[in-house]
Amino acid sequence: MPPIPEIFDELQAAQPGLTIEVQRMGFADWAEALLAGDLDVAFVFPPVPPGVQTHRLTTMPRVACLHDRDPLAGQGPLPLQQLADRPVVGWSPTIPKAWRDFWSVDPRPDGTPVRYTHHQTTEWEPALTAIGLGEGVQFPPEPSRWLYQRHGVAYADVTDLTPCWTALPWHTQDRDKPTVTALCTAARTVTSRHSTARNG
């Protein structure tokens, strides 16, 4: 997961008088708020809409999230093809299409379109409820397997899922805004430090 506390520590060390206000927002809300100028930056899982620039923070695998009584739940690693007949828990049309397509792996590598359930989720928790009832699957970041353990839900490794990443986005027109510049500098410092530690 992104080193958010460390980035905030770095920011406050560089800008001790800066006030930080943190908000939790849904998939459909953060981009609208960012583009409207209600947020300076966010911590998100891309893709991001046009008009937004990003700094990549961390990269991680994705996994399959499925009902714990699904025959594939106790197996793995799985090729994505083995999950081809499982419907994906549907996203709300308010979620940007690029985001929905990436997280649903739609279309699949062979060009086959994904079959969706009737749900119109905008948050991960309702999706988990649907998965726990055996109504569909989704492909969340790997940390979900320990951050979102729920009754009826299991996780399985998938060999050929494109990895996901976390990013710090900002509105392109705000790139020179002092708060944006300061947080981007703090994020780059922290990610550079982590990269040096891994390679050292």
Side-chain angles (χ1 to χ4, degrees), residues 3 96 161 187:
L161 267 180

Side-chain angles (χ1 to χ4, degrees), residues 34-35 50-53 170-176:
L34 194 73
L35 292 171
V52 174
Q53 295 178 307
W170 59 91
H171 195 319
T172 301
Q173 70 180 24
D174 291 338
R175 61 182 175 271
D176 296 324

Side-chain angles (χ1 to χ4, degrees), residues 46-90:
V48 299
V52 174
Q53 295 178 307
T54 64
H55 170 68
R56 184 176 292 210
L57 297 170
T58 57
T59 302
M60 65 193 74
R62 284 185 286 170
V63 294
C65 181
L66 63 168
H67 193 266
D68 65 358
R69 290 199 296 274
D70 187 299
L72 297 177
Q75 302 182 32
L78 307 169
L80 186 58
Q81 180 59 32
Q82 278 193 262
L83 294 157
D85 63 343
R86 270 66 170 179
V88 172
V89 175

Side-chain angles (χ1 to χ4, degrees), residues 62-148:
R62 284 185 286 170
V63 294
C65 181
L66 63 168
H67 193 266
D68 65 358
R69 290 199 296 274
D70 187 299
L72 297 177
Q75 302 182 32
L78 307 169
L80 186 58
Q81 180 59 32
Q82 278 193 262
L83 294 157
D85 63 343
R86 270 66 170 179
V88 172
V89 175
W91 298 102
S92 166
T94 62
I95 305 292
K97 185 177 185 302
W99 204 96
R100 284 182 277 138
D101 289 350
F102 177 80
W103 289 100
S104 304
V105 198
D106 187 10
R108 294 299 160 83
D110 64 359
T112 303
V114 165
R115 181 166 57 95
Y116 291 94
T117 68
H118 66 279
H119 304 87
Q120 294 192 359
T121 56
T122 60
E123 294 281 354
W124 180 223
E125 287 287 353
L128 277 173
T129 299
I131 293 167
L133 293 171
E135 297 177 352
V137 303
Q138 281 197 357
F139 301 99
E142 183 187 33
S144 298
R145 71 189 337 151
W146 60 82
L147 292 174
Y148 296 98

